[in-house]
Amino acid sequence: MHELALCRGLLQQVTRIAEEHQASAIKSIHLKVGPLAGIETELLKRSFPLVAHGTAAQEALLEITPVKATIQCDECDKKSELDNIQLICPHCQSTATTLLSGDEMTLENVVLEQQEVKATHHVH
Amino acid sequence: MCTDCGCLDQKEHSTHDGNNTKIHASSIKPLVIDVHQSLLFENDKQAADNRNQLTQHNITTINLMSSPGSGKTRLLERTIDELSGRYRIAVIEGDLETENDARRIRAKGVDTIQITTGSACHLDATMINNALQQLDLRQIDLLFIENVGNLVCPASFDLGQHHNVTLLSTTEGDDKPEKYPVIFRAADLTLINKCDLLPFLDDFDPQRAKQSLESVAGTTPLFQLSAKTGEGIGQWLEWLQHSILTTKATI
């Protein structure tokens, strides 16, 4: 259950960004997670509110976009998008392949809520 | 709409009555910040610092991972017996509870730091940094980190090691790499341990284990050995000595 540890790291990252921009709250957090990242995304979603409670991120919506694994074959040089995580070239069945994407777990963006002073004006 | 300023927010109209100058109501504006940073950014930063420190001290560092009971401690005992005459070895032991493994390693006369993680299922770079501060780095050539017995979580956390070694024992089943692809993909070397038991196990085929490993990790080194009997240990020791030479060459 390292998802809790990942959530703590994520919370540290997003709250620091919120502070840097003097945001009052974090509205949403967008992640990209590949099938070889070793993350159970449902567990991550359920863990995040536990660690975010009482922080600027406590109301934040955690959006996770799954990324497919893609490989390039070292033998036939073809690129393929995979439906599973068996890193075998679907064209020539070679296991000598290079992973191009699929092991990432990245924080893509954060949407902040900023209190902005709009205008000053005189009351008549 | 407010005729004074044109604002649309009815709630903010209370700020218009009263006298003198008033700050008009604040409005909430969403702001998108692009980050594109790994979730493990903080850990990876600390791991890079650890690796730098270890390389500067010429210490080849091996992160040993496997499920519980695959023989990590037994492999370390055997390795220490074989190499302690030639290299100065130290061990960082990770366990949820107890100092049992650390006691076994200390009995070999090797400096050992025990990290008891409590409920944490893996070691991270900060734990390793704390442990490094307790070791005399000038007195070590080869450092082993025995990770918490777990085939899932340790794979995601860079500790600052030079090499990851994953153990698979013959009693676990030859399809483990496909079931736990992340940890086997992270391995620079996979060892099949407890090969002395192969004659008694009709459901573990080393060839099938190799195919299973290659299907998730590509072409990657795989050695068979028995830490208990010493069978096949030579290849592992050669690999270690080659790693030590490579670390020295990078300085």
Side-chain angles (χ1 to χ4, degrees), chain A residues 27-41:
Chain A
K27 277 178 79 110
S28 64
I29 300 164
H30 183 199
L31 311 180
K32 264 190 186 168
V33 176
L36 282 158
I39 297 185
E40 195 49 61
T41 52

Side-chain angles (χ1 to χ4, degrees), chain A residues 1-3 5-6 9-10 12-13 16-17 21 24 27 31 33 35-39 44 85-88 95-97 99 103 105-124, chain B residues 2 4-5 15-42 45 121-122 150 152-153 156-157 178 181-182 185 211-212 214-219:
Chain A
M1 175 58 182
H2 61 302
E3 280 76 5
L6 292 172
L10 173 62
Q12 223 180 339
Q13 275 171 296
R16 197 179 46 223
I17 292 165
H21 292 85
S24 53
K27 277 178 79 110
L31 311 180
V33 176
L36 282 158
I39 297 185
L44 196 73
I85 48 169
Q86 300 239 315
L87 306 182
I88 301 169
T95 57
T97 59
L99 190 73
D103 61 350
M105 44 169 127
T106 51
L107 169 58
E108 288 297 307
N109 63 53
V110 184
V111 180
L112 305 174
E113 236 172 47
Q114 262 192 334
Q115 294 281 341
E116 194 189 44
V117 174
K118 251 225 161 141
T120 55
H121 61 140
H122 296 279
V123 178
H124 316 289
Chain B
C2 168
D4 284 332
C5 67
T15 54
H16 287 270
D17 36 22
N19 23 21
N20 302 325
T21 305
K22 282 215 159 186
I23 294 178
H24 191 269
S26 53
S27 65
I28 292 171
K29 187 181 149 211
L31 176 68
V32 182
I33 309 291
D34 284 325
V35 190
H36 307 296
Q37 206 172 58
S38 167
L39 288 193
L40 287 163
F41 176 74
E42 294 292 336
K45 205 165 63 172
C121 48
H122 59 273
N150 179 341
V152 183
C153 312
S156 299
F157 294 83
E178 288 159 88
V182 180
R185 234 181 58 75
Q211 284 162 1
S212 176
E214 285 182 351
S215 76
V216 295
T219 315

Side-chain angles (χ1 to χ4, degrees), chain B residues 52-73:
Chain B
N52 194 25
Q53 194 182 359
L54 291 161
T55 308
Q56 290 301 318
H57 283 90
N58 214 349
I59 303 171
T60 302
T61 305
I62 310 288
N63 175 28
L64 212 51
M65 302 182 284
S66 80
S67 57
S70 297
K72 292 186 294 300
T73 312

Side-chain angles (χ1 to χ4, degrees), chain B residues 36-245:
Chain B
H36 307 296
Q37 206 172 58
S38 167
L39 288 193
L40 287 163
F41 176 74
E42 294 292 336
N43 184 76
D44 291 350
K45 205 165 63 172
Q46 180 64 63
D49 283 352
N50 293 351
R51 183 151 32 244
N52 194 25
Q53 194 182 359
L54 291 161
T55 308
Q56 290 301 318
H57 283 90
N58 214 349
I59 303 171
T60 302
T61 305
I62 310 288
N63 175 28
L64 212 51
M65 302 182 284
S66 80
S67 57
S70 297
K72 292 186 294 300
T73 312
R74 178 60 76 104
L75 179 70
L76 286 181
E77 287 174 315
R78 170 70 66 173
T79 308
I80 291 163
D81 285 344
E82 300 281 347
L83 293 182
S84 60
R86 263 176 286 173
Y87 303 106
R88 296 165 302 173
I89 301 174
V91 176
I92 297 173
E93 276 287 344
D95 278 300
L96 266 66
E97 295 292 345
T98 84
E99 289 227 356
N100 294 351
D101 289 354
R103 265 199 293 273
R104 281 170 63 184
I105 301 297
R106 281 188 196 119
K108 299 279 178 194
V110 161
D111 275 349
T112 309
I113 304 295
Q114 174 77 53
I115 301 174
T116 321
T117 59
S119 60
C121 48
H122 59 273
L123 296 176
D124 66 28
T126 304
M127 295 179 198
I128 297 303
N129 186 50
N130 292 339
L132 292 180
Q133 287 170 26
Q134 299 169 56
L135 287 165
D136 184 355
L137 300 183
R138 292 163 307 179
Q139 304 297 324
I140 305 168
D141 302 309
L142 181 57
L143 173 67
F144 289 102
I145 301 169
E146 185 180 333
N147 218 312
V148 177
N150 179 341
L151 272 183
V152 183
C153 312
S156 299
F157 294 83
D158 186 3
L159 304 179
Q161 74 284 343
H162 294 105
H163 302 288
N164 279 328
V165 175
T166 303
L167 251 74
L168 164 64
S169 66
T170 54
T171 50
E172 291 168 61
D174 50 24
D175 59 348
K176 278 290 173 298
E178 288 159 88
K179 287 182 174 167
Y180 299 89
V182 180
I183 206 155
F184 286 96
R185 234 181 58 75
D188 298 299
L189 170 67
T190 301
L191 300 174
I192 301 182
N193 191 24
K194 303 189 187 179
C195 282
D196 53 310
L197 296 178
L198 279 175
F200 310 103
L201 301 167
D202 56 6
D203 54 354
F204 190 100
D205 176 0
Q207 197 52 39
R208 244 186 354 241
K210 186 175 189 291
Q211 284 162 1
S212 176
L213 178 67
E214 285 182 351
S215 76
V216 295
T219 315
T220 174
L222 173 73
F223 302 159
Q224 294 180 43
L225 54 82
S226 164
K228 187 179 179 182
T229 65
E231 170 197 342
I233 204 86
Q235 219 179 354
W236 158 241
L237 299 177
E238 270 172 37
W239 184 89
L240 279 175
Q241 291 176 74
H242 181 260
S243 302
I244 291 167
L245 290 174

